[in-house]
Amino acid sequence: MNMYAEVIVDIAHSDVDKIFDYACGEEMRPGMRVVVPFGRGVTTGFVMRVKPTTDVPPEKIKRVLRTEDTLPALTAESLCLAEAVTSRYRVPMALTLRLFLPAEMRTGKVSTRYRTVCRLAENAGPVSPRAKAQLALVEYLAEAGEADSALLRERFGGALKALKEKGIVLSEKRRVFRDPYQGETGQNSVKNLTPFQQNAVETVNRTDKTVILIHGVTGSGKTEVYLSLIADTLKAGKTAVFLVPEISLTPQMLMQLRARFGSSAAILHSGLSAGERFDEWMRLREGTARIAVGARSAVFAPLENVGIIVLDEEHDGSYSSESSPRYNTFDIALLRARYNHCKLVLGSATPSVETYKRAKDGEFELVSMPERINARPMPEVRIVDMRREVRRGNVTGFSTELRQKLSQCLERGNQAILFLNRRGYSQTVICRDCGYVAKCESCDVSLTYHSDENCLKCHYCGARYRMPPACPECGGKHLGYVGTGTQRVVGDLRKMYPAARILRMDVDTTSGKEGHHRILKQFAAHEADILVGTQMVAKGHDFPQVTLVGILDADMSLHFADFRSGERTFQLVTQVAGRSGRAQEPGEVVLQTYDPENYILRFAANYDYEGFYAHEISMRAATMFPPFAKIVRVMVTGEDEQETLSALKCVYEKLNRLYTSEPDAFLFFNRMHSPIKRIQNKFRYQVLMRLADSRVLKDVYAACAEEHFKNVLVYVEENPANLS
Ligand code: ADP
Ligand code: ZN
């Protein structure tokens, strides 16, 4: 019987963003990838639905040329989610569907890998005693049982072929899975849950709410709660999605999961090789792996029958996607939880103000874990006034107190983590004669000096520049460095503590799949005494021997012109501090600041989340910022300034009509330059809005989706994590 497939072609353009009907056979299933005639050529597409009839007249209907899958690449749930994402964010369906597949599957560059395995036939005939190589091979196989044909060919040459022809050696093709981190596992023994952990697990099981927020201080053992919930889910025959914010954390978490659940855990993240990513995805799709671990994109893991979704470090900014569709991981996770009728567990020591409010308002279940494991004390935070240090003539960036504590820590054979917000050698290069600041040619930002490569780098586009011998503006020779970065701190430490072993972790030292993993592994094995790094060192790590944490520039993030800067600073300080004193020995934290009275830093130093929250939420309410309003930014960027401006004008006019028709929905509405006027040669303009009421949101999306500009990109961001 003839069937018809509703196909979305894999071309992300709004002109073809519709369903096309094709004739197909009965074996067609929704979710399969197909090759179809399209226009004058052929293209790949996705089958959304299969139906017995079509409205397309018979002389016009074309036939599916072939299917690419036996098992549909997209599950029923994926198709359903894709519909929701597409209509929510107003992007072409093809673009959304791509989220659900590993990129390499679409491009066809990677496929399933096989190997050929050989063994002896059971009643094989004799081998001629003169054929030495053949005899040796038979002997080898008799001992080994089986072996890879490539290996046998290498060792015994033509003997393999001869034996196969005689039927003495049999071979068979077997599927191989490329394994990221090559079978490495970590340590994780099942622990007896503490009463707080037990309570968290029971609350998740008992509540009739879909979303549960676990507010647990750093070191309270949240991971163990997740693992216990996941174990129960697997036992019930279901699958689990486990989301972590940073790629750098994923391997560690994976090792724990592997130790506990063996090969049931599969990892999905962009740092894997194409083959590994493909195979891990396949293991999930085929059901051999039942736990998907990964950063935000893993929320699209092809699992069926999901029994729990965990979103660890809920507050982390990396859960918002920065490319189209600009989804929020929580929103997708919630859709999946509803689809599967399962729980969505959020965890954090520093929940975002928005999430905490929803929990307090009763929309989410709230469970708290207020103590560290074994009632270990939270590390004491000492606030050091750097203005005093400078007055005393200490301009090194290391306070006397920090240096004392660091010496003690090293003498006792413990480890320390030093955190600062900037990578590189120093913030920027400035001419002391004329005030010239070295800037990137394609972005509107100053450059950072990197001493190891003796060059200037742009942290936005990655461009490198030679260090000028003199000021390009005035020719003056007094070029100086301002500010300090990770590289410089390491340099200074080497001079102060020549015997200490120091590791640096930032974007520059962690390229490649193994980047973070290698550094973290070295530090965990105590092959280094001090770890210096940016935000990356703040996140979730559990190093038992760390007893000192130094925060070198606590103020940095306070001064961003962003409504979240206070919240970010609180989170950052709490998280970094939380790396100290996680085992037997109590930990300490030295927090250096030029603003020691700052209330955010005070709340953080006292681990007073409630105090911080009460203050922050009342301020947000008074000023009408999220969660009491929504910030929406429409970005308009393009290489040609005139084209960009005319696109801006066009978008602005449409939005302005919306604004004038529904003025009450807007608290703020204006167009302007973005704070960074140019990135990677693209001019950046924006229409910035603050919405009192989200009901106009879909009209904002619609206004931006209607028009297409040739060389200008227009997109909508909701409560963007980064307003630069
Ligand atoms: P969090 O994620 O809340 O910061 P972790 O999950 O990393 O905390 O746990 C902190 C430490 O406590 C880890 O070293 C972990 O192995 C240990 N731990 C967790 N639960 C228990 C338990 N029930 N008994 C003993 N040790 C535990
Ligand atoms: Zn640049």
Side-chain angles (χ1 to χ4, degrees):
M1 198 177 100
N2 235 347
M3 299 292 280
Y4 299 92
E6 295 188 349
V7 173
I8 291 280
V9 293
D10 192 10
I11 302 170
H13 197 287
S14 55
D15 291 351
V16 295
D17 186 28
K18 51 184 162 245
I19 294 282
F20 295 95
D21 282 5
Y22 286 89
C24 63
E26 274 177 62
E27 72 293 341
M28 189 61 72
R29 296 283 169 271
M32 282 183 168
R33 291 172 307 142
V34 288
V35 177
V36 291
F38 193 73
R40 266 177 245 133
V42 294
T43 186
T44 52
F46 302 95
V47 177
M48 303 301 288
R49 269 171 298 271
V50 181
K51 57 193 182 182
T53 57
T54 177
D55 299 335
V56 183
E59 69 278 9
K60 283 215 166 155
I61 195 109
K62 293 182 191 158
R63 226 186 146 74
V64 169
L65 297 174
R66 62 167 195 275
T67 57
E68 301 270 72
D69 305 317
T70 37
L71 180 68
L74 299 163
T75 63
E77 184 186 353
S78 301
L79 290 172
C80 178
L81 280 177
E83 303 264 6
V85 171
T86 289
S87 73
R88 168 81 168 72
Y89 299 102
R90 283 277 189 150
V91 288
M93 188 56 134
L95 206 56
T96 306
L97 290 173
R98 290 177 190 174
L99 294 170
F100 292 85
L101 301 175
E104 27 289 316
M105 201 163 165
R106 291 181 45 243
T107 54
K109 290 211 182 86
V110 193
S111 52
T112 314
R113 185 188 284 178
Y114 294 94
R115 65 185 185 124
T116 310
V117 181
C118 301
R119 63 187 157 82
L120 290 175
E122 257 167 45
N123 33 24
V127 178
S128 149
R130 271 172 312 177
K132 292 261 156 54
Q134 293 185 23
L135 279 175
L137 196 160
V138 167
E139 205 168 292
Y140 179 88
L141 270 185
E143 179 121 334
E146 59 174 50
D148 212 271
S149 76
L151 181 134
L152 294 176
R153 211 170 308 122
E154 190 185 306
R155 280 215 188 162
F156 305 100
L160 178 64
K161 189 159 175 259
L163 287 168
K164 269 163 90 170
E165 277 162 10
K166 286 184 209 156
I168 296 173
V169 169
L170 305 177
S171 67
E172 84 182 76
K173 246 172 112 181
R174 265 193 223 153
R175 180 91 175 267
V176 250
F177 290 96
R178 283 150 286 204
D179 177 10
Y181 314 105
Q182 266 117 47
E184 253 182 83
T185 71
Q187 282 161 357
N188 185 279
S189 46
V190 180
K191 298 174 183 72
N192 289 323
L193 296 185
T194 64
F196 283 124
Q197 288 172 326
Q198 193 67 45
N199 175 52
V201 169
E202 279 163 16
T203 309
V204 172
N205 290 331
R206 193 183 50 227
T207 180
D208 51 8
K209 290 177 184 155
T210 303
V211 183
I212 299 95
L213 170 64
I214 302 181
H215 177 209
V217 298
T218 55
S220 58
K222 293 184 287 295
T223 311
E224 200 57 36
V225 173
Y226 308 146
L227 296 187
S228 164
L229 289 165
I230 291 172
D232 291 344
T233 306
L234 296 192
K235 250 183 249 150
K238 298 188 175 182
T239 63
V241 179
F242 189 175
L243 303 167
V244 293
E246 281 280 303
I247 307 281
S248 66
L249 285 183
T250 325
Q252 280 191 319
M253 207 57 108
L254 177 75
M255 295 316 155
Q256 288 204 45
L257 284 158
R258 276 189 176 172
R260 188 85 151 244
F261 303 113
S263 60
S264 288
I267 184 167
L268 295 174
H269 75 69
S270 56
L272 304 183
S273 74
E276 290 165 352
R277 202 157 40 196
F278 179 84
D279 283 348
E280 289 291 88
W281 187 90
M282 262 308 183
R283 294 201 306 124
L284 292 164
R285 178 66 190 96
E286 290 173 351
T288 42
R290 294 163 62 212
I291 310 169
V293 193
R296 65 168 178 261
S297 63
V299 76
F300 299 103
L303 287 167
E304 291 178 287
N305 199 11
V306 178
I308 192 160
I309 304 173
V310 174
L311 210 151
D312 190 22
E313 310 289 0
E314 162 289 323
H315 59 275
D316 200 280
S318 71
Y319 282 123
S320 312
S321 166
E322 287 186 348
S323 59
S324 182
R326 291 180 160 67
Y327 65 88
N328 183 322
T329 308
F330 170 82
D331 295 337
I332 311 286
L334 185 58
L335 287 171
R336 290 201 80 165
R338 296 225 171 98
Y339 183 96
N340 289 284
H341 304 289
C342 74
K343 302 282 165 64
L344 167 56
V345 177
L346 312 177
S348 176
T350 51
S352 71
V353 168
E354 278 139 288
T355 301
Y356 201 67
K357 179 167 190 302
R358 290 169 84 170
K360 284 214 139 185
D361 291 348
E363 183 185 347
F364 304 159
E365 185 72 48
L366 178 62
V367 45
S368 105
M369 292 169 58
E371 273 181 22
R372 282 192 160 183
I373 290 293
N374 297 334
R376 274 169 211 145
M378 296 303 292
E380 189 199 343
V381 181
R382 313 255 320 148
I383 296 185
V384 174
D385 183 353
M386 289 306 275
R387 294 172 307 187
R388 272 234 312 267
E389 295 289 318
V390 173
R391 255 183 262 129
R392 283 194 209 136
N394 174 8
V395 289
T396 61
F398 295 86
S399 61
T400 318
E401 178 151 12
L402 180 58
R403 272 185 294 179
Q404 274 169 2
K405 299 237 190 253
L406 202 49
S407 303
Q408 282 168 8
C409 171
L410 296 175
E411 272 160 32
R412 291 203 199 114
N414 289 329
Q415 290 177 295
I417 293 180
L418 297 183
F419 164 83
L420 75 166
N421 242 319
R422 277 181 304 222
R423 59 192 251 249
Y425 183 77
S426 69
Q427 168 80 328
T428 192
V429 173
I430 186 167
C431 171
R432 300 211 193 280
D433 296 329
C434 74
Y436 158 87
V437 173
K439 283 196 164 181
C440 177
E441 285 167 16
S442 18
C443 312
D444 178 41
V445 295
S446 53
L447 299 169
T448 302
Y449 177 59
H450 286 244
S451 66
D452 51 356
E453 297 162 73
N454 191 33
C455 73
L456 298 167
K457 279 195 207 173
C458 169
H459 287 181
Y460 277 82
C461 72
R464 286 153 198 267
Y465 298 84
R466 242 186 305 156
M467 179 66 194
C471 173
E473 292 279 308
C474 73
K477 295 267 185 255
H478 301 106
L479 288 178
Y481 307 111
V482 242
T484 179
T486 44
Q487 233 181 59
R488 178 160 191 176
V489 166
V490 170
D492 292 348
L493 283 170
R494 291 230 160 91
K495 281 183 218 134
M496 290 188 280
Y497 305 98
R501 297 161 301 171
I502 303 165
L503 281 172
R504 172 161 68 98
M505 186 159 101
D506 57 32
V507 182
D508 300 299
T509 62
T510 53
S511 57
K513 166 177 74 139
E514 292 291 323
H516 303 99
H517 192 41
R518 195 190 60 242
I519 296 174
L520 294 171
K521 226 163 51 174
Q522 269 175 286
F523 195 60
H526 207 152
E527 284 163 21
D529 308 299
I530 308 175
L531 175 65
V532 177
T534 51
Q535 334 258 27
M536 295 177 186
V537 302
K539 303 199 173 181
H541 311 294
D542 190 33
F543 300 116
Q545 294 202 61
V546 171
T547 56
L548 177 66
V549 161
I551 302 172
L552 297 180
D553 54 353
D555 314 321
M556 262 308 287
S557 63
L558 275 175
H559 301 311
F560 287 124
D562 182 330
F563 74 93
R564 283 204 196 89
S565 58
E567 179 176 359
R568 290 258 171 71
T569 304
F570 182 85
Q571 287 164 349
L572 206 53
V573 170
T574 312
Q575 296 289 346
V576 199
R579 303 311 115 211
S580 185
R582 292 170 72 89
Q584 282 76 21
E585 275 196 67
E588 286 178 303
V589 180
V590 175
L591 190 160
Q592 303 189 155
T593 172
Y594 288 90
D595 187 9
E597 300 306 322
N598 185 286
Y599 70 93
I600 295 276
L601 298 180
R602 295 264 153 196
F603 283 133
N606 293 322
Y607 300 99
D608 185 2
Y609 180 85
E610 290 291 337
F612 154 76
Y613 173 79
H615 187 282
E616 189 72 20
I617 201 81
S618 66
M619 213 167 69
R620 302 267 185 103
T623 52
M624 286 301 274
F625 268 88
F628 302 96
K630 186 162 232 165
I631 292 183
V632 176
R633 166 160 87 161
V634 176
M635 279 297 294
V636 182
T637 82
E639 283 195 20
D640 183 290
E641 187 156 29
Q642 280 319 311
E643 278 183 78
T644 312
L645 280 168
S646 63
L648 174 76
K649 186 162 175 275
C650 178
V651 169
Y652 177 79
E653 272 163 16
K654 264 196 253 169
L655 291 169
N656 196 36
R657 247 172 275 146
L658 184 63
Y659 172 56
T660 37
S661 69
E662 301 246 18
D664 293 349
F666 292 81
L667 294 162
F668 179 88
F669 178 80
N670 211 347
R671 66 180 146 176
M672 59 189 77
H673 256 304
S674 297
I676 297 179
K677 295 184 183 115
R678 214 154 54 105
I679 294 183
Q680 286 186 305
N681 279 324
K682 290 204 170 98
F683 289 92
R684 305 168 84 244
Y685 287 91
Q686 63 191 31
V687 182
L688 197 60
M689 291 163 265
R690 198 140 44 87
L691 304 181
D693 189 330
S694 288
R695 72 170 189 263
V696 292
L697 192 57
K698 63 176 192 320
D699 303 317
V700 172
Y701 274 103
C704 300
E706 276 164 24
E707 207 85 35
H708 294 281
F709 304 98
K710 225 166 150 218
N711 301 311
V712 180
L713 186 65
V714 177
Y715 58 84
V716 184
E717 292 175 307
E718 295 172 42
N719 288 343
N722 177 354
L723 267 174
S724 59

